[in-house]
Amino acid sequence: VNGFSGTVEHVGLRVLKIRDQGGDLHFILNREVKSLTNHSRGPRLAKVDLPLASGADLDKAISCLENECRRITGNLPEVIEAPQVLGVIDVTPQTSTVRIQVHTENGQQFKVERILRKELIKIVDQSGYLLTEST
């Protein structure tokens, strides 16, 4: 709201109170609220971008990622729907970046991203597709 982000602590007749992650409490007059976004409702989207070495066989790498994503997320109760390996989203002379996305329960997207990233980096590294220093 108005450039502030955090948890709404109070909604009154005249003022809205938002506490940011640093602990600061922001008071915003209701008449000054032009727009707001509620991030606490509905499923969230976890996104993981993996840089693969430019010489990697992308078809094999994507197939490997699809299989591993299904295996990893099968053990995560926070995952609402099967992950999608969207494919290559960026190419540089050194890398081809592949994006994976998965719908999660609200507030669990960052946890799922961390788990996926950690596990997929291991798998991709073992397969030789990982760019050595960029993860």
Side-chain angles (χ1 to χ4, degrees):
V1 176
N2 293 14
F4 298 109
S5 182
T7 302
V8 174
E9 289 200 352
H10 176 77
V11 178
L13 292 174
R14 294 189 176 133
V15 71
L16 173 69
K17 297 178 186 177
I18 297 177
R19 186 165 309 271
D20 66 22
Q21 288 186 340
D24 293 334
L25 186 61
H26 303 278
F27 295 81
I28 303 167
L29 296 176
N30 288 346
R31 69 175 178 261
E32 293 178 1
V33 175
K34 303 291 185 224
S35 64
L36 57 92
T37 303
N38 185 345
H39 293 284
S40 65
R41 298 185 65 112
R44 302 297 300 183
L45 190 61
K47 295 180 192 173
V48 175
D49 293 340
L50 286 176
L52 304 179
S54 61
D57 182 331
L58 292 176
D59 291 330
K60 285 184 181 178
I62 288 171
S63 177
C64 174
L65 290 172
E66 288 171 338
N67 292 333
E68 291 303 316
C69 283
R70 282 192 295 273
R71 180 187 65 77
I72 295 164
T73 58
N75 298 324
L76 296 175
E78 302 87 354
V79 172
I80 294 174
E81 117 186 4
Q84 297 176 306
V85 180
L86 299 180
V88 177
I89 60 161
D90 189 33
V91 176
T92 69
Q94 296 81 26
T95 64
S96 296
T97 302
V98 174
R99 175 166 290 166
I100 297 104
Q101 69 180 27
V102 60
H103 286 90
T104 70
E105 292 176 356
N106 193 297
Q108 300 300 310
Q109 68 273 18
F110 301 118
K111 174 184 175 184
V112 171
E113 284 177 1
R114 288 189 300 271
I115 291 169
L116 269 176
R117 191 173 294 111
K118 176 184 169 193
E119 296 301 317
L120 291 176
I121 284 174
K122 286 183 203 174
I123 298 301
V124 172
D125 192 33
Q126 291 170 1
S127 303
Y129 299 133
L130 190 65
L131 181 68
T132 53
E133 294 186 19
S134 183
T135 56

